[in-house]
């Protein structure tokens, strides 16, 4: 294996690009966090107003 010089090491560029998979996972994460917040908010509001369903 060839050792790279310091100049060659400085010229290496990473392969960072935004792919469809990355966008899809970020979108799914946002939806999940949003749904969790909505569920917790509804639960807190129902507990505060004593409108809980009886089991």
């Amino acid at each position: 294996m060839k050792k790279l010089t310091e100049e060659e090491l400085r010229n290496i560029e990473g392969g960072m690009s935004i792919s469809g998979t990355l966008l899809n996972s970020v979108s799914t994460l946002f939806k999940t966090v949003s749904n969790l917040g909505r569920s917790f908010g509804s639960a807190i509001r129902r507990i505060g107003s004593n409108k809980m369903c009886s089991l």
Side-chain angles (χ1 to χ4, degrees), residues 1-2 5-9 11-15 19 21 24 28-29 33-35 38-39 45-46 48-49 52-53:
M1 181 171 16
K2 175 187 171 191
T5 64
E6 191 169 327
E7 184 64 31
E8 290 172 325
L9 288 172
N11 290 332
I12 295 176
E13 293 181 14
S19 65
T21 304
N24 189 25
T28 302
L29 177 66
V33 170
S34 175
N35 286 335
R38 189 176 296 120
S39 296
R45 187 189 45 162
R46 287 187 327 182
S49 63
M52 297 296 292
C53 299

Side-chain angles (χ1 to χ4, degrees), residues 14-31:
M16 179 62 182
S17 65
I18 297 176
S19 65
T21 304
L22 178 64
L23 290 176
N24 189 25
S25 63
V26 169
S27 171
T28 302
L29 177 66
F30 179 75
K31 288 178 189 175

